[in-house]
Amino acid sequence: MGTPKILILGAGYGGLLTTLQLQKKLNYNEAEITLVNKHNYHYITTWLHEPAAGTAPADHARVSLDGILNKDKVNFVKGTVQAIQPEEQTVTLESGEVLSYDYLVIGLGSEPETFGIEGLKEHAFSIRSINAVRNIREHIEYMFSKFKNEPDRTDYLTFVVGGAGFTGIEFCGELGDRLPELCREFDVDPELVKVYCIEAAPTALPGFDPELIQYAIDVLERKGIEFKIGTPIKQCTPDGVLLNTGEEIKSKTVIWAAGVRGNSIVEKAGFEVMRGRVKVDEYLRAPGYENVFVVGDCALIFNEEGRPYPPTAQIAVQEGETLGENLAALVRGDLPQKFIPHLQGTLASLGKGEGIGQVGSKKLFGSTAAMMKKASDLRYLYKIGGVGLALKKVKL
Ligand code: FAD
């Protein structure tokens, strides 16, 4: 083999960290590193609930790749991946360009999992990219302005959030902060605005400590969010949602935040998947392929009890860092290391200055959790872009 070609798909947490680690570890002539991403920026997915609700500008959640990639070491291609042909060791972009590789890293993130619920794909929004959250924010504002012209249409002021997991809860926290501002701006009586957070599971935030869950619910209820727990959505229509109980909620805004599956490109490429995610081995390799690695939401890994880890940025970052080191080792003929996740805790924001968290056996509430989350954001920004980026981006 001449200079090995390493092709990385997706500049999310997993793909970007793989690239940055390779950039750090390898000299410019040791490998031909190419990163392909839809946009010329990385977005901080874990912040997207803020611009979606309108409590932060969308720009705040994106980081220009130009500022963090070393052009002498990484060839960046702005393009959309259309298909992967693992047998031919090639990737086709929507532009028609075909890229070949010796090593492939798949970090294409996730897609909403709709669990076959009728109408969700067609009529619900989801918090998944900078463009998607711009749409949500503008739509919410438009609903307020439309109501001013048609004051009997309270469905314009009814918002449905599907899912009381991490994303749904964080979004409700932000929306709860934004709505009073919108009511003032559009002269709308706050009593007319309704936000329903609907969850099929028997609890909000499954997997969290019950005391933390109760705290989150209390905070969000004080912000006006109404919970319907253990209540599956049966159907989504242009006019709202129909619940399994038979109740219909009329709403022009349904935001689906109840789960993700791996990017469909992976399944279409013929890899064996569970909910779109490839069950990778301890070196993050796709079964049957020595040279194809999968990170982030496209990868499925299990804990010691055989339970799958949920897809998180925390794990995607760790996978990317390990994989970058491993690829540098492989290029140099050294041995790779096994990937072992080190969970540092879980933190969820509940709007401005409020949050919950679990770090080891310690439970965190309110402003302490919110501050810990900011510290964790700072650490991430510092990791990818140094002090300059951390200072520029973090909101105090
Ligand atoms: P992503 O970060 O989604 O990146 C995928 C990249 O691939 C993107 O740059 C995308 O543009 C690109 N891409 C996709 N398709 C193509 C294509 N066809 N061609 C080219 N490029 C493509 N996790 C936590 O650990 N903590 C949290 O607090 C947390 N909060 C969250 C809040 C919200 C609102 C959301 C939505 C998620 C949250 N998560 C959180 C989950 C976390 O964001 C994901 O697990 C993480 O982003 C996965 O990283 P990834 O690298 O797999 O994919």
Side-chain angles (χ1 to χ4, degrees):
M1 201 197 302
T3 310
K5 288 183 184 174
I6 304 176
L7 179 59
I8 301 146
L9 309 181
Y13 292 85
L16 182 62
L17 267 294
T18 307
T19 310
L20 293 179
Q21 197 69 352
L22 280 166
Q23 175 172 292
K24 193 157 94 189
K25 295 277 164 187
L26 291 180
N27 293 321
Y28 74 96
N29 55 358
E30 284 185 283
E32 208 180 284
I33 305 166
T34 303
L35 172 66
V36 182
N37 195 52
K38 251 185 203 174
H39 315 282
N40 57 0
Y41 55 83
H42 162 72
Y43 50 79
I44 304 177
T45 319
T46 60
W47 290 358
L48 287 181
H49 52 287
E50 297 178 4
T55 52
D59 229 22
H60 182 65
R62 62 178 180 168
V63 175
S64 160
L65 288 170
D66 214 26
I68 50 180
L69 297 178
N70 177 345
K71 286 195 196 81
D72 293 333
K73 291 189 174 180
V74 177
N75 169 35
F76 174 67
V77 176
K78 180 172 177 279
T80 300
V81 175
Q82 189 176 53
I84 303 169
Q85 296 83 225
E87 302 307 331
E88 284 98 64
Q89 299 196 184
T90 56
V91 168
T92 308
L93 306 188
E94 268 180 18
S95 63
E97 191 178 352
V98 177
L99 304 170
S100 63
Y101 61 81
D102 297 305
Y103 298 104
L104 179 69
V105 177
I106 304 174
L108 292 170
S110 57
E111 294 177 358
E113 169 63 279
T114 54
F115 305 105
I117 298 168
E118 204 186 318
L120 268 182
K121 249 191 211 140
E122 295 79 10
H123 308 300
F125 293 92
S126 69
I127 304 171
R128 54 183 302 223
S129 65
I130 294 284
N131 290 331
V133 300
R134 279 197 194 112
N135 265 349
I136 296 173
R137 178 197 181 130
E138 281 176 17
H139 173 85
I140 293 172
E141 289 170 4
Y142 184 50
M143 289 302 102
F144 272 78
S145 83
K146 266 177 93 74
F147 172 77
K148 291 308 286 183
N149 294 317
E150 298 170 71
D152 56 328
R153 294 290 303 271
T154 48
D155 55 329
Y156 289 149
L157 297 181
T158 302
F159 302 92
V160 172
V161 179
F166 228 82
T167 308
I169 289 289
E170 290 198 317
F171 177 68
C172 284
E174 296 300 317
L175 194 58
D177 286 350
R178 180 83 204 287
L179 290 173
E181 196 185 290
L182 285 170
C183 288
R184 276 194 301 276
E185 190 181 329
F186 288 89
D187 300 313
V188 165
D189 175 0
E191 291 294 315
L192 297 175
V193 180
K194 300 270 176 260
V195 182
Y196 296 99
C197 183
I198 301 174
E199 169 60 57
T203 170
L205 291 167
F208 256 71
D209 174 273
E211 200 186 349
L212 292 169
I213 298 173
Q214 195 52 52
Y215 182 88
I217 289 182
D218 290 346
V219 169
L220 297 185
E221 281 181 344
R222 279 200 298 276
K223 293 188 190 204
I225 315 295
E226 198 171 309
F227 285 92
K228 287 183 182 288
I229 303 293
T231 314
I233 292 177
K234 195 172 160 194
Q235 193 189 0
C236 180
T237 70
D239 301 317
V241 289
L242 181 65
L243 308 182
N244 257 15
T245 54
E247 186 187 351
E248 191 185 355
I249 299 177
K250 292 218 173 287
S251 163
K252 286 287 175 197
T253 315
V254 178
I255 288 142
W256 183 243
V260 293
R261 53 185 292 116
N263 193 311
S264 54
I265 290 173
V266 179
E267 186 168 7
K268 285 184 197 138
F271 295 107
E272 204 180 300
V273 293
M274 282 167 74
R275 274 177 69 180
R277 303 170 72 192
V278 180
K279 190 177 158 194
V280 290
D281 70 8
E282 61 234 294
Y283 300 101
L284 303 170
R285 284 180 301 209
Y289 297 91
E290 288 285 313
N291 62 343
V292 178
F293 301 84
V294 191
V295 286
D297 287 1
C298 290
L300 183 60
I301 55 168
F302 292 84
N303 66 16
E304 276 156 11
E305 288 101 54
R307 290 167 61 131
Y309 282 101
T312 62
Q314 187 181 155
I315 288 186
V317 165
Q318 294 179 15
E319 288 174 340
E321 287 180 310
T322 304
L323 182 56
E325 291 222 17
N326 281 352
L327 285 168
L330 288 172
V331 164
R332 290 177 173 162
D334 296 334
L335 287 177
Q337 51 177 310
K338 289 182 181 173
F339 174 70
I340 301 164
H342 298 286
L343 296 189
Q344 287 143 0
T346 318
L347 294 157
S349 81
L350 302 171
K352 196 168 170 47
E354 272 288 1
I356 47 167
Q358 223 164 341
V359 180
S361 59
K362 227 176 151 101
K363 296 181 216 171
L364 305 173
F365 300 88
S367 57
T368 316
M371 266 162 57
M372 284 291 284
K373 192 155 169 101
K374 287 223 185 313
S376 141
D377 291 344
L378 257 176
R379 257 200 315 277
Y380 177 67
L381 293 165
Y382 176 74
K383 201 188 273 273
I384 64 167
V387 180
L389 182 67
L391 289 178
K392 188 170 138 200
K393 287 286 176 190
V394 89
K395 282 200 295 178
L396 295 171

